[in-house]
Amino acid sequence: MKLDAYSHIFPPAYFERMRALARDQGAIKRWLTVPVLYDLDARIRMMREFPGYRQILTLSSPPIEFVAVPEESPALARLANDGMAEIVAEHRDLFPAFVAS
């Protein structure tokens, strides 16, 4: 087994909320060009090309506090953590754990 620690991702619900909250859409433009950051199916297809490959997930940049105002950031962090937990629960064979935000 190969374990890739700190692999960045955006859980789907978090990704949509982050895009809606981002005050500067240009600041997140770079992340929109890397599908494996926000498209879980694309990531899984890529990972299946490498038998025994696993990832410990972390939330991708930009940091939550750069995306949301202080009143929104706790809810956004919960959305990220809940999304990561769902991914790990549904795909334990690929993602054994995640790092909470």
Side-chain angles (χ1 to χ4, degrees):
M1 175 176 70
K2 291 187 175 116
L3 185 60
D4 184 356
Y6 295 94
S7 296
H8 297 92
I9 194 168
F10 293 119
Y14 173 87
F15 181 68
E16 291 307 317
R17 185 71 180 138
M18 177 197 73
R19 289 180 66 190
L21 287 174
R23 292 166 284 193
D24 179 3
Q25 293 294 310
I28 65 170
K29 182 179 178 182
R30 173 178 166 236
W31 287 271
L32 303 178
T33 64
V34 185
V36 296
L37 284 177
Y38 59 85
D39 183 339
L40 185 58
D41 292 333
R43 178 177 292 245
I44 290 172
R45 282 192 304 276
M46 179 271 304
M47 290 178 70
R48 296 235 187 259
E49 293 179 25
F50 305 95
Y53 178 51
R54 308 290 179 262
Q55 295 180 342
I56 295 175
L57 299 175
T58 61
L59 192 63
S60 183
S61 292
I64 292 170
E65 60 273 15
F66 285 11
V67 174
V69 296
E71 297 78 25
E72 290 279 346
S73 59
L76 197 57
R78 276 190 296 280
L79 191 60
N81 292 338
D82 290 348
M84 296 281 205
E86 288 175 19
I87 292 169
V88 167
E90 292 174 15
H91 304 282
R92 176 102 28 212
D93 60 321
L94 296 172
F95 310 108
F98 73 95
V99 177
S101 295

